[in-house]
Amino acid sequence: MDQPNTGPTSTLRDQEEESVHRALEGYYRAGKPPWDTGVTPPELVALVEGHGAPPPGRALELGCGTGTNAIYLARHGWEVTAVDLIDSAVDQAREKAEAAGVAVRLLHGDATRLDELDAPGPFDLFFDLSCYCGIPLHRRDAYAAGLTDRATPGARLLMFGYGPEPLGNPTPEVTSWAAGVTADELHARFTGWEVIDVTPGTNSVPTFWFTLRRDA
């Protein structure tokens, strides 16, 4: 029988996850986090309202922040579940959804541990604005598996992420954040999905919009 991993690697992994939590909480305590602009990105608008837009179905937002995009999806007919690691962000999202008069299922929890949350799916759309690229590397397979288990055939994942940090840049707050995210990584981790589009972002540092489609 395999024994639980309680050695140095396990300890480092726990510390990395705790570092992520502290860093994210710090952003919210200091004011509005850079990813929480209060404006729905045009890339999501194009997917929901543009040519060839899918009919509204069930959507799961990973790392919903204060709820801007979950509320947008609900206003456009989607049945929305939204998850965030930071409880104060979820509280703000709940207040905003109530004020907007829309129904959003808001869950406080870890996007890499969906089995521990009331988010069984299946979902037709997943939206991720800077969540995955902030996840420690050792938890990313669990994130991918959680979405795969809850995806309908043909489901879409729209993800915004930062690219890898260039060599020589200052060390980020969390070690794994320097890894960023690439199309090659998503292709390797998301078994049963196809990376159908990669569009560079307009930020001053390398960013990308990735669109993945679950195999039918």
Side-chain angles (χ1 to χ4, degrees):
M1 178 180 297
D2 291 337
Q3 298 298 313
N5 185 353
T6 57
T9 300
S10 177
T11 301
L12 288 173
R13 288 179 175 182
D14 292 342
Q15 290 174 351
E16 185 80 353
E17 291 179 65
E18 186 58 36
S19 294
V20 169
H21 194 273
R22 284 197 304 268
L24 295 178
E25 280 192 326
Y27 276 112
Y28 281 101
R29 281 198 304 270
K32 188 177 291 185
W35 59 85
D36 204 333
T37 64
V39 177
T40 295
E43 290 80 5
L44 180 59
V45 173
L47 176 61
V48 170
E49 302 182 51
H51 177 71
R58 303 182 71 188
L60 175 63
E61 182 176 7
L62 297 310
C64 67
T66 61
T68 297
N69 301 303
I71 292 168
Y72 165 80
L73 287 167
R75 281 175 166 162
H76 285 79
W78 290 81
E79 181 183 339
V80 184
T81 300
V83 178
D84 202 277
L85 187 64
I86 306 304
D87 53 0
S88 62
V90 174
D91 290 343
Q92 292 179 62
R94 188 168 288 113
E95 292 174 2
K96 287 169 62 173
E98 290 175 358
V102 296
V104 177
R105 293 188 63 247
L106 287 153
L107 304 175
H108 171 224
D110 186 339
T112 75
R113 293 178 169 87
L114 294 178
D115 288 343
E116 299 176 8
L117 304 176
D118 185 18
F123 296 101
D124 309 290
L125 175 65
F126 301 90
F127 182 62
D128 178 328
L129 185 69
S130 302
C131 178
Y132 180 87
C133 64
I135 292 172
L137 297 179
H138 73 278
R139 293 301 306 167
R140 293 185 180 186
D141 282 340
Y143 173 107
L147 269 59
T148 300
D149 289 346
R150 289 162 176 78
T152 60
R156 300 289 183 97
L157 164 60
L158 179 62
M159 175 190 292
F160 173 83
Y162 288 85
E165 288 280 343
L167 292 175
N169 269 22
T171 302
E173 294 171 86
V174 181
T175 304
S176 62
W177 285 2
V181 58
T182 66
D184 287 343
E185 180 195 350
L186 296 178
H187 177 76
R189 290 192 194 274
F190 281 79
T191 303
W193 297 72
E194 180 185 2
V195 180
I196 60 174
D197 186 71
V198 180
T199 300
T202 58
N203 307 69
S204 59
V205 296
T207 58
F208 302 92
W209 284 95
F210 302 98
T211 305
L212 284 72
R213 181 174 56 212
R214 182 76 167 100
D215 293 345

